[in-house]
């Protein structure tokens, strides 16, 4: 398919058109001619006005020079014609008077600079936000599907997980052609990552979607107002091109991700080439790593010769055009696939997050980045203000770098395309829907609220039923930590269970709600090598089911049977328990990248 845009195919390109099939393909975009690196183009700007001479300040100074008692003024001590002035030979006195005046003026200057700066911050804050708001473009919700997944429920502390869809557009519209090479129209999603911020705001994971993955693209709205028909077995990144506009179709990509993952996307952000280059320059560059040297011929295979070296082997800092080339490069590294490129994109995102967090997640750090980003940013209407963007960024400031993960949707090659592996893909998104981390932790449960924790720790054993407060003599829980979760809608169960455990010397590490409140029976989950500890817990909860889990630790999930035995509503045997997410394949968790990983690790494939 000579001359065809990388990532397109005759099978699915242009399937959404009303008037005719897709007529021809665009030139190769990933192999755009190499352009020399330079500073990010400036966005206009005018020369600062030069203060004109004279004015009120100068008039005041002239007036003060003649006031009685003003040392150095005409006719005054130290001034021309005054005692001790130059005409009377008092040079030492004149110098002393001048020095006193300088100190006094210096104090005034310091005070006025401080006051003026504060005023600029207060008054200018509105101007800054106004400027950033003016940069942001939004897309309407009228293009979103009417059949969307439900929003995630709040956890015991009222916190909810957030799903942010990040799209890198390869549009050549406007100034983007200067960065992407070429000027062909339309847009495709060069990069798509679903960022899941867990309810505890202590964990986050970014899921990369292979752009060549064959998926079902649901009905999407065209610029004409018409809706397309659902398309099966279609390349993932063609969703963004529906409508063939330079702005792309973020709503269609969001619809596709929601249908694929069964997760509700709360917000969507699209950044183009120009915005990406500006962002990297705003932070002073990003530290990346190349497993081998890269040359002009790798960046542009059509060049016909090796050319000059573009990237050296090893760690280096890139910004602007060079940073863009790093995340878009395919050839010359590994097998030259999009899979390897996604690994470098994840490494780049990790380095960018690490850089910003190291400098401090404050408005001072984020505002320059926000100014650069918003100039080429398109977001949904719910995120369409500088305040909301900065608020979201600041909400992630407490997430440790090691707890920010990046993974790729489980995949396999299917001819020239990519197929998503099942049931691995379904299990991955089911775990996110249950707010489970990659190592199996329930982030929605978190820790109990202060009042709940106090209630659990202060409840006297005598207040509980004898069968719960008086533990069997054979059960000894010393040294065993247990997390207690309510898997029902009956309140107070964790308090009773915690008291029972403490009476047998178990340590209750966590108290909260389970991801699902529809457990028919009580379950004790245990990590590798901890079955004996789980059996000790089961000695206090007859009838509980033991379940192995990948995550370390022991978790007690109370079911409706426990609620019925402790004054709650009777268990309903006919109501099936909600299916808990299956364990994640070890390959998914093992391949995850942390934001604090070595920049040279896991940056190629094949």
């Amino acid at each position: 398919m000579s001359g065809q845009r990388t990532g397109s195919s005759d099978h699915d390109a242009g399937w959404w058109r009303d008037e005719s099939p897709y007529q021809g393909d665009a030139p190769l975009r990933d192999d755009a001619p190499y352009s020399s690196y330079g500073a990010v183009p400036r966005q206009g700007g005018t020369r600062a006005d030069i203060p004109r001479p004279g004015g009120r300040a100068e008039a005041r100074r002239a007036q003060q020079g003649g006031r009685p008692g003003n040392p150095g003024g005409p006719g005054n001590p130290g001034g021309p014609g005054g005692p001790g002035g130059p005409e009377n030979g008092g040079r030492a006195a004149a110098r002393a008077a001048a020095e006193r005046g300088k100190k006094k003026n210096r104090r005034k200057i310091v005070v006025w600079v401080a006051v003026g700066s504060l005023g600029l911050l207060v008054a200018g804050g509105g101007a800054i936000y106004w400027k950033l708001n003016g940069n942001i473009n939004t897309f309407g919700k009228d293009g979103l599907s009417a059949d969307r997944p439900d929003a995630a429920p709040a956890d015991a502390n009222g916190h909810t997980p957030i799903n942010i869809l990040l799209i890198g557009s390869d549009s050549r519209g406007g100034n983007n052609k200067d960065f992407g090479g070429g000027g062909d129209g339309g847009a495709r999603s060069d990069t798509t990552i679903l960022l899941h911020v867990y309810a505890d705001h202590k964990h986050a994971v970014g899921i990369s979607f292979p752009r060549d993955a064959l998926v079902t693209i649901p009905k999407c709205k065209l610029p004409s107002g018409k809706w397309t028909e659902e398309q099966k077995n279609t390349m993932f990144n063609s969703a963004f091109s529906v409508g063939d506009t330079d702005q792309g179709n973020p709503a269609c990509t969001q619809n596709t991700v929601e249908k694929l993952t069964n997760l509700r996307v709360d917000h969507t952000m699209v950044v183009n080439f120009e915005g990406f280059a500006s962002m990297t320059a705003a932070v002073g560059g990003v530290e990346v790593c190349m497993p081998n040297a890269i040359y002009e011929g790798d960046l542009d295979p059509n060049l016909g010769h090796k050319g000059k070296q573009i990237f050296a082997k090893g760690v280096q800092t890139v910004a602007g055009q060079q940073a863009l080339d790093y995340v878009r490069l395919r050839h010359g590294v590994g097998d030259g696939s999009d899979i390897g490129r996604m690994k470098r994109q994840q490494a780049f995102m990790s380095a960018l997050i690490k850089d910003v967090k190291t400098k401090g997640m404050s408005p001072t750090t984020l505002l320059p980045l926000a100014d650069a980003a918003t100039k080429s940013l398109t977001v949904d209407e719910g995120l369409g203000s500088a305040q909301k963007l900065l608020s979201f960024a600041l909400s992630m400031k407490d997430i440790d770098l090691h707890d920010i993960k990046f993974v790729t949707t489980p995949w396999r090659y299917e001819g020239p395309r990519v197929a998503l592996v099942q049931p691995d893909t379904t299990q991955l998104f089911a775990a996110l829907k249950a707010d489970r981390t990659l190592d199996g932790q329930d982030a929605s449960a978190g820790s109990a609220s202060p009042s709940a924790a106090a209630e659990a720790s202060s409840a006297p054993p005598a207040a509980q039923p004898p069968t719960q407060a008086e533990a069997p003599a054979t059960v000894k829980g010393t040294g065993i930590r247990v997390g207690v979760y309510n898997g029902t809608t009956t309140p107070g169960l964790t308090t009773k269970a915690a008291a029972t455990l403490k009476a047998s010397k178990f340590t209750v590490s966590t108290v909260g709600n389970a991801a699902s409140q529809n457990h028919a029976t009580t379950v004790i989950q245990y990590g590798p090598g901890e079955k004996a500890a789980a059996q000790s817990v089961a000695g206090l909860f007859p009838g509980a089911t033991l379940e192995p889990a990948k995550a370390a630790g022991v978790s007690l999930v109370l079911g409706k049977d426990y609620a019925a035995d402790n004054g709650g509503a009777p268990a309903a045997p006919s109501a099936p328990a909600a299916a808990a997410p299956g364990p994640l394949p070890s390959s998914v968790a093992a391949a995850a990248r942390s934001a604090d990983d070595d920049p040279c690790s896991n940056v190629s494939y094949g």
Side-chain angles (χ1 to χ4, degrees):
M1 296 186 288
S2 178
Q4 187 174 17
R5 178 192 298 188
T6 301
S8 64
S9 71
D10 296 328
H11 168 70
D12 54 38
W15 52 262
W16 45 265
R17 293 180 181 273
D18 294 328
E19 64 277 8
S20 64
Y22 188 44
Q23 300 296 325
D25 291 309
L28 283 167
R29 288 194 167 182
D30 292 314
D31 305 322
Y34 162 73
S35 60
S36 60
Y37 303 133
V40 179
R42 298 183 65 177
Q43 301 296 318
T46 59
R47 201 165 158 251
D49 293 335
I50 300 174
R52 64 186 182 187
R56 296 179 180 178
E58 187 170 326
R60 282 196 300 270
R61 287 193 295 271
Q63 184 180 19
Q64 289 169 356
R67 286 179 180 172
N70 179 27
N76 293 314
E87 296 177 5
N88 292 296
R91 293 182 179 178
R95 285 196 298 269
E99 186 62 28
R100 287 194 299 271
K102 286 181 180 178
K103 290 181 179 179
K104 182 176 180 181
N105 288 337
R106 192 177 298 121
R107 287 195 297 269
K108 288 182 178 180
I109 290 171
V110 171
V111 171
W112 281 109
V113 167
V115 173
S117 299
L118 180 60
L120 284 174
L121 287 173
V122 174
I128 291 172
Y129 277 102
W130 179 83
K131 179 180 184 295
L132 294 179
N133 286 337
N135 291 343
I136 301 172
N137 295 313
T138 61
F139 69 91
K141 59 183 178 181
D142 57 322
L144 298 181
S145 174
D147 183 20
R148 302 180 61 193
D150 293 332
D155 66 4
N157 298 320
H159 303 150
T160 57
I162 303 173
N163 295 310
I164 307 286
L165 185 62
L166 309 174
I167 303 173
S169 168
D170 72 352
S171 169
R172 263 53 170 191
N175 294 332
N176 289 297
K177 61 180 180 293
D178 298 329
F179 294 94
D184 45 324
R188 291 200 180 209
S189 51
D190 227 30
T191 304
T192 306
I193 295 176
L194 180 64
L195 179 65
H196 179 83
V197 181
Y198 291 85
D200 64 1
H201 278 236
K202 298 292 185 182
H203 301 80
V205 60
I207 312 295
S208 294
F209 297 90
R211 66 177 199 165
D212 293 343
L214 298 176
V215 300
T216 296
I217 297 181
K219 295 180 179 181
C220 291
K221 189 176 182 180
L222 295 168
S224 65
K226 297 181 180 180
W227 288 75
T228 65
E229 293 298 322
E230 181 177 277
Q231 296 293 320
K232 297 182 181 296
N233 208 38
T234 304
M235 279 179 52
F236 175 84
N237 75 334
S238 67
F240 192 71
S241 68
V242 169
D244 199 19
T245 67
D246 287 341
Q247 294 73 36
N249 197 329
C252 188
T253 299
Q254 180 173 327
N255 292 342
T256 302
V257 169
E258 289 189 337
K259 184 174 183 64
L260 173 64
T261 65
N262 194 31
L263 294 168
R264 189 180 185 92
V265 175
D266 300 292
H267 297 294
T268 294
M269 303 171 62
V270 182
V271 63
N272 59 27
F273 290 154
E274 182 182 9
F276 179 86
S278 298
M279 288 168 60
T280 59
V283 297
V286 176
E287 186 179 75
V288 300
C289 183
M290 272 294 182
N292 53 262
I294 297 297
Y295 299 85
E296 289 176 313
D298 299 318
L299 201 62
D300 178 12
N302 297 323
L303 189 63
H305 62 276
K306 187 175 182 179
K308 297 179 181 179
Q309 179 175 291
I310 303 304
F311 295 104
K313 178 181 178 180
V315 177
Q316 55 212 285
T317 299
V318 297
Q321 177 70 54
Q322 195 176 21
L324 184 62
D325 287 339
Y326 177 86
V327 298
R328 302 193 68 239
L329 176 72
R330 287 194 301 125
H331 303 285
V333 187
D335 66 353
S337 67
D338 184 54
I339 302 301
R341 174 166 57 182
M342 282 192 298
K343 290 179 177 292
R344 288 186 293 281
Q345 291 169 349
Q346 293 171 356
F348 187 94
M349 289 288 290
S350 297
L352 178 60
I353 293 170
K354 182 178 181 180
D355 183 79
V356 173
K357 284 182 70 67
T358 300
K359 293 177 180 177
M361 295 281 284
S362 66
T364 302
T365 302
L366 295 175
L367 280 174
L369 182 61
D371 183 38
T374 53
K375 288 176 180 175
S376 302
L377 193 68
T378 300
V379 300
D380 64 281
E381 293 173 340
L383 207 57
S385 74
Q387 183 178 1
K388 291 178 181 178
L389 284 170
L390 288 173
S391 176
F392 169 69
L394 289 171
S395 72
M396 298 181 64
K397 65 184 177 65
D398 293 329
I399 303 179
D400 187 81
L401 287 173
H402 188 71
D403 293 323
I404 300 176
K405 307 288 187 182
F406 289 94
V407 298
T408 299
T409 307
W411 65 279
R412 61 177 172 79
Y413 280 123
E414 188 168 286
R417 300 297 175 221
V418 170
L420 300 183
V421 175
Q422 296 296 352
D424 297 10
T425 297
T426 299
Q427 289 175 349
L428 170 61
F429 295 125
L432 294 185
K433 195 173 185 70
D435 215 35
R436 299 270 181 174
T437 60
L438 297 184
D439 58 1
Q441 296 182 51
D442 182 3
S444 278
S447 59
S449 62
S451 60
E455 180 185 354
S457 62
S458 62
Q464 309 302 324
T467 56
Q468 297 295 322
E470 298 175 5
T474 55
V475 178
K476 296 181 180 180
T478 303
I480 300 176
R481 296 172 59 87
V482 184
V484 183
Y485 303 97
N486 191 347
T488 77
T489 56
T490 303
L493 297 185
T494 54
T495 300
K496 295 180 180 180
T500 300
L501 289 165
K502 290 177 180 179
S504 289
K505 306 302 181 183
F506 287 88
T507 299
V508 177
S509 58
T510 304
V511 176
N513 288 332
S516 169
Q517 272 75 57
N518 195 30
H519 285 263
T521 59
T522 298
V523 175
I524 301 171
Q525 299 173 336
Y526 60 92
E530 297 181 286
K531 185 174 182 179
Q535 290 173 331
S536 296
V537 175
L540 298 178
F541 301 91
T545 302
L546 298 183
E547 286 186 359
K550 292 185 65 63
V554 178
S555 297
L556 171 65
V557 182
L558 303 170
K560 294 180 181 179
D561 55 348
Y562 181 81
D565 293 338
N566 290 272
S574 59
L584 279 177
S586 58
S587 58
V588 175
R593 180 186 196 90
S594 298
D596 62 349
D597 280 358
D598 187 317
C600 293
S601 68
N602 202 19
V603 290
S604 66
Y605 179 81

mmCIF file of all heavy atoms in Angstrom, residues 71-85:
data_model
loop_
_atom_site.group_PDB
_atom_site.id
_atom_site.type_symbol
_atom_site.label_atom_id
_atom_site.label_comp_id
_atom_site.label_asym_id
_atom_site.label_seq_id
_atom_site.Cartn_x
_atom_site.Cartn_y
_atom_site.Cartn_z
ATOM 1 N N PRO A 71 17.077 67.338 52.496
ATOM 2 C CA PRO A 71 18.516 67.436 52.275
ATOM 3 C C PRO A 71 18.831 67.238 50.808
ATOM 4 O O PRO A 71 18.328 66.336 50.169
ATOM 5 C CB PRO A 71 19.101 66.309 53.129
ATOM 6 C CG PRO A 71 18.047 66.026 54.145
ATOM 7 C CD PRO A 71 16.760 66.307 53.482
ATOM 8 N N GLY A 72 19.660 68.061 50.304
ATOM 9 C CA GLY A 72 20.055 67.938 48.915
ATOM 10 C C GLY A 72 19.229 68.789 48.006
ATOM 11 O O GLY A 72 19.523 68.924 46.832
ATOM 12 N N GLY A 73 18.119 69.372 48.496
ATOM 13 C CA GLY A 73 17.298 70.216 47.626
ATOM 14 C C GLY A 73 17.923 71.589 47.512
ATOM 15 O O GLY A 73 18.705 72.027 48.346
ATOM 16 N N PRO A 74 17.594 72.336 46.472
ATOM 17 C CA PRO A 74 18.152 73.674 46.287
ATOM 18 C C PRO A 74 17.851 74.531 47.499
ATOM 19 O O PRO A 74 16.728 74.619 47.969
ATOM 20 C CB PRO A 74 17.446 74.187 45.033
ATOM 21 C CG PRO A 74 17.027 72.946 44.312
ATOM 22 C CD PRO A 74 16.711 71.956 45.395
ATOM 23 N N GLY A 75 18.894 75.195 48.005
ATOM 24 C CA GLY A 75 18.728 76.092 49.135
ATOM 25 C C GLY A 75 18.669 75.403 50.458
ATOM 26 O O GLY A 75 18.498 76.041 51.489
ATOM 27 N N ASN A 76 18.773 74.105 50.529
ATOM 28 C CA ASN A 76 18.712 73.346 51.767
ATOM 29 C C ASN A 76 20.090 72.794 52.102
ATOM 30 O O ASN A 76 20.977 72.705 51.242
ATOM 31 C CB ASN A 76 17.707 72.199 51.659
ATOM 32 C CG ASN A 76 16.279 72.719 51.538
ATOM 33 O OD1 ASN A 76 15.897 73.611 52.289
ATOM 34 N ND2 ASN A 76 15.536 72.182 50.577
ATOM 35 N N PRO A 77 20.271 72.364 53.354
ATOM 36 C CA PRO A 77 21.588 71.829 53.736
ATOM 37 C C PRO A 77 22.005 70.689 52.827
ATOM 38 O O PRO A 77 21.241 69.748 52.621
ATOM 39 C CB PRO A 77 21.378 71.358 55.172
ATOM 40 C CG PRO A 77 20.265 72.194 55.684
ATOM 41 C CD PRO A 77 19.361 72.420 54.512
ATOM 42 N N GLY A 78 23.184 70.805 52.330
ATOM 43 C CA GLY A 78 23.690 69.745 51.446
ATOM 44 C C GLY A 78 23.306 69.968 50.022
ATOM 45 O O GLY A 78 23.770 69.271 49.145
ATOM 46 N N GLY A 79 22.406 70.918 49.759
ATOM 47 C CA GLY A 79 21.977 71.161 48.385
ATOM 48 C C GLY A 79 22.713 72.356 47.820
ATOM 49 O O GLY A 79 23.384 73.091 48.522
ATOM 50 N N PRO A 80 22.586 72.578 46.525
ATOM 51 C CA PRO A 80 23.246 73.703 45.895
ATOM 52 C C PRO A 80 22.828 75.001 46.557
ATOM 53 O O PRO A 80 21.640 75.284 46.675
ATOM 54 C CB PRO A 80 22.775 73.623 44.449
ATOM 55 C CG PRO A 80 22.397 72.187 44.264
ATOM 56 C CD PRO A 80 21.846 71.756 45.583
ATOM 57 N N GLY A 81 23.801 75.785 47.022
ATOM 58 C CA GLY A 81 23.515 77.077 47.622
ATOM 59 C C GLY A 81 23.192 77.004 49.075
ATOM 60 O O GLY A 81 22.986 78.020 49.731
ATOM 61 N N GLY A 82 23.081 75.797 49.661
ATOM 62 C CA GLY A 82 22.741 75.640 51.073
ATOM 63 C C GLY A 82 23.981 75.386 51.892
ATOM 64 O O GLY A 82 25.048 75.072 51.370
ATOM 65 N N PRO A 83 23.847 75.468 53.228
ATOM 66 C CA PRO A 83 24.994 75.203 54.113
ATOM 67 C C PRO A 83 25.510 73.796 53.903
ATOM 68 O O PRO A 83 24.749 72.836 53.970
ATOM 69 C CB PRO A 83 24.415 75.401 55.517
ATOM 70 C CG PRO A 83 23.209 76.233 55.321
ATOM 71 C CD PRO A 83 22.664 75.893 53.993
ATOM 72 N N GLY A 84 26.794 73.718 53.702
ATOM 73 C CA GLY A 84 27.394 72.389 53.501
ATOM 74 C C GLY A 84 27.222 71.888 52.102
ATOM 75 O O GLY A 84 27.620 70.790 51.792
ATOM 76 N N GLY A 85 26.544 72.658 51.242
ATOM 77 C CA GLY A 85 26.359 72.238 49.855
ATOM 78 C C GLY A 85 27.634 72.431 49.079
ATOM 79 O O GLY A 85 28.618 72.953 49.568
#
